[in-house]
Amino acid sequence: MDTVKVGLLGFGTVGTGVVRNLQINRELLQQRLHRDLVLTRIATRDVNRDRGVELEPGVLTSDIDEVIANPEIDIVIELIGGDEPAKSYILKAIANGKHIVTANKALMAVHGQEIIAAADQQGVSVMFEAAVAGGIPIISAIKENLCSNKFSSVLGILNGTCNFILTKMSQEGSDFAPVLQEAQDLGYAEADPTFDIEGVDTAHKIALLAALCFGTSVDFDKIYTEGISKVSAIDIQFAEQMGYTVKLLAIGKNHDDQIEVRVHPTMIPKTYQLAQINGVFNAVRLIGDFAGPTLLYGSGAGMDATASAVMGDVMAVSRDLTTGGKPRVPILGYNADAIRNLPIMEMGEVVSHYYLRFTTADQTSVLAKISGCLGNHDISIQSMLQPEVREINSVSIVIMTHEAKEADINAALAEIEQLDVVLQPTCLIRVENAPL
Ligand code: NDP
Ligand code: HSE
């Protein structure tokens, strides 16, 4: 049987999953491809560590050039992660005519344009399905099955580690630190887990999805990014009492002359489908002008689910190779000359409902003072909660607002924090009440 030769860079969590898939499903892959996928070389730093999989002698190497400059290899899978040296290795492999499959969202979100330009010039593919939402085939859904749609929004839970932590905090009352450690032990977290918990990984993913959905470059540095490290157990409890769940949401909306792209903890009604997405699972909701809303759901991280996405790309490239070698679908799903440069909406312009928790002195007329400041900025109150729980000398007041502009909220909060009855900075969580 004819072969396609594959080289792997990085033999960690996902790399090991890819090797397992190639071994366990070898016959199935042959049946679906009509060719044999042969793993020719794996380059990794430590060639002595046991990864729990058997390899043919001579496959493992610490010399990167045995993969990226190997004339036998057709497809290079990059699973090292991060900017450098992954970027240089990919660019060298492209220069050597290799097709690329990567799970590296950090690299593609920030340096994607340079990599895609190099690949287009060489006429090779760059595939990155595994970079967004683990095993969910979201990128091929946008680029292929739903490509006749103009998308007005893409929104979702895109980080398995954060969803795992928030689920355990809300359902089991767990503390943050041990659950993060559990997510790391399960292979869900990034090499630097602050990328997960501070929302950076989610921002990388929504940057890619916004580019793919709206056909625009996305300036990663302009994405408002807030993670879950400041979400407290008390806010999760109050959310619960008010009928909401807290999720780390990535939100992308197309306003035609600009795009809205933001990442932050968000309260959503418990009755929404996205509120039921728990643990390491992710979900992405697209709204297309013909398909309407589509929700894709599946494992957002982990060895096997991510390997499934990587191998889907390897199979797609291998099929292109079988039919002549030219990539069938543009890398971002649009012809290069059709990609725009839309700006990202300023956060102050964003309109949302808001959950505000004030810590105040336990005395009369506090509420009147706070609501007065909100009124000064045309912010109206939708509901209010004054929980029984009292700290010594302080109380919490929770207010849910109607829709308001973020700039007005910020101005009102600046005024409120000048009040002598307000004892601590206000806790703010955005609320998504539009049907999800
Ligand atoms: P790991 O840290 O488990 O694996 C990284 C691998 O890269 C290790 O085997 C390491 O080598 C190797 N490596 C690091 N630096 C070099 C180098 N300079 N030269 C050669 N090899 C090197 O990461 P993951 O497998 O978890 O992630 C890989 C990629 O997949 C990342 O981009 C990540 O964001 C992405 N991803 C991960 C998911 C997950 O669930 N884990 C899900 C979706 C995407 P050694 O072991 O020899 O030290
Ligand atoms: N660290 C990422 C997550 C891996 O937890 O979602 C999958 O991209």
Side-chain angles (χ1 to χ4, degrees):
M1 188 182 282
D2 201 5
T3 59
V4 176
K5 297 218 166 96
V6 177
L8 180 58
L9 303 177
F11 198 13
T13 304
V14 185
T16 305
V18 166
V19 175
R20 277 165 45 76
N21 186 274
L22 279 163
Q23 292 178 347
I24 294 169
N25 285 348
R26 183 172 181 184
E27 202 180 330
L28 174 88
L29 295 168
Q30 286 173 358
Q31 288 165 356
R32 291 195 156 148
L33 186 61
H34 249 322
R35 295 173 82 177
D36 193 18
L37 286 172
V38 178
L39 184 58
T40 305
R41 288 280 186 287
I42 304 173
T44 199
R45 276 179 311 205
D46 179 353
V47 291
N48 298 313
R49 185 143 45 96
D50 179 15
R51 320 275 172 160
V53 285
E54 293 284 320
L55 296 172
E56 299 286 329
V59 168
L60 209 52
T61 175
S62 57
D63 181 358
I64 294 291
D65 282 338
E66 285 194 35
V67 175
I68 61 178
N70 187 329
E72 286 193 353
I73 288 175
D74 304 295
I75 303 172
V76 170
I77 308 174
E78 183 277 311
L79 296 172
I80 290 174
D83 282 5
E84 287 293 353
K87 181 181 157 201
S88 301
Y89 294 162
I90 285 179
L91 289 172
K92 280 186 197 157
I94 289 172
N96 290 331
K98 312 297 177 200
H99 299 275
I100 306 295
V101 173
T102 179
N104 193 336
K105 53 270 166 142
L107 183 62
M108 290 306 292
V110 179
H111 300 286
Q113 283 186 24
E114 184 184 347
I115 290 168
I116 290 168
D120 281 344
Q121 206 180 0
Q122 276 288 335
V124 297
S125 294
V126 176
M127 305 285 276
F128 52 98
E129 182 66 71
V132 183
I136 303 174
I138 181 68
I139 293 181
S140 60
I142 296 168
K143 278 170 52 171
E144 302 225 43
N145 313 71
L146 294 171
C147 70
S148 71
N149 285 263
K150 180 180 177 190
F151 295 104
S152 55
S153 100
V154 53
L155 172 153
I157 296 168
L158 300 179
N159 186 274
T161 301
C162 288
N163 208 42
F164 184 78
I165 294 171
L166 289 174
T167 304
K168 291 233 170 191
M169 282 174 77
S170 64
Q171 294 185 352
E172 297 169 25
S174 308
D175 288 330
F176 194 100
V179 191
L180 171 59
Q181 185 59 56
E182 203 181 330
Q184 289 179 278
D185 295 344
L186 289 164
Y188 302 156
E190 295 304 298
D192 175 356
T194 58
F195 274 58
D196 296 290
I197 62 176
E198 298 305 345
V200 181
D201 177 76
T202 303
H204 288 143
K205 292 166 177 168
I206 193 68
L208 293 171
L209 292 184
L212 290 156
C213 283
F214 309 142
T216 178
S217 60
V218 175
D219 185 350
F220 178 75
D221 294 333
K222 296 264 164 59
I223 300 176
Y224 177 81
T225 305
E226 183 186 326
I228 62 165
S229 60
K230 294 195 189 79
V231 174
S232 66
I234 190 87
D235 293 313
I236 291 175
Q237 271 175 36
F238 289 159
E240 180 85 5
Q241 284 176 38
M242 298 172 101
Y244 289 86
T245 301
V246 181
K247 294 289 183 190
L248 182 68
L249 278 200
I251 297 171
K253 294 181 185 170
N254 184 2
H255 296 283
D256 285 330
D257 56 344
Q258 60 178 343
I259 52 173
E260 198 177 324
V261 190
R262 50 194 166 101
V263 172
H264 47 72
T266 311
M267 285 191 185
I268 52 177
K270 280 196 267 185
T271 49
Y272 288 176
Q273 282 169 317
L274 282 184
Q276 322 299 326
I277 310 301
N278 290 317
V280 73
F281 283 88
N282 283 188
V284 189
R285 191 211 52 182
L286 300 160
I287 298 185
D289 56 351
F290 277 71
T294 303
L295 183 73
L296 288 96
Y297 163 76
S299 260
M303 177 186 286
D304 287 351
T306 312
S308 160
V310 170
M311 287 304 298
D313 280 349
V314 170
M315 289 289 279
V317 175
S318 301
R319 285 173 169 153
D320 282 350
L321 287 172
T322 307
T323 54
K326 287 283 167 234
R328 192 176 54 84
V329 184
I331 294 171
L332 285 178
Y334 283 78
N335 291 329
D337 58 5
I339 293 176
R340 298 170 297 168
N341 287 305
L342 294 177
I344 296 181
M345 181 189 271
E346 293 292 333
M347 229 12 224
E349 295 297 306
V350 164
V351 172
S352 175
H353 295 254
Y354 292 84
Y355 160 101
L356 305 170
R357 177 171 55 81
F358 304 98
T359 306
T360 70
D362 191 3
Q363 61 187 58
T364 52
S365 70
V366 171
L367 186 57
K369 287 180 181 169
I370 290 175
S371 55
C373 295
L374 292 172
N376 291 343
H377 297 274
D378 285 333
I379 297 160
S380 74
I381 295 173
Q382 180 178 300
S383 61
M384 215 207 79
L385 184 73
Q386 181 145 26
E388 284 297 314
V389 193
R390 280 157 198 263
E391 303 291 324
I392 299 167
N393 298 327
S394 75
V395 289
S396 292
I397 296 177
V398 175
I399 285 176
M400 195 74 88
T401 73
H402 282 292
E403 274 195 341
K405 220 186 213 192
E406 180 118 351
D408 293 334
I409 290 282
N410 288 338
L413 292 187
E415 218 174 281
I416 287 168
E417 282 172 17
Q418 296 302 314
L419 298 172
D420 54 1
V421 291
V422 172
L423 305 178
Q424 283 177 25
T426 307
C427 166
L428 174 158
I429 302 180
R430 295 166 192 86
V431 182
E432 215 28 74
N433 267 335
L436 294 177

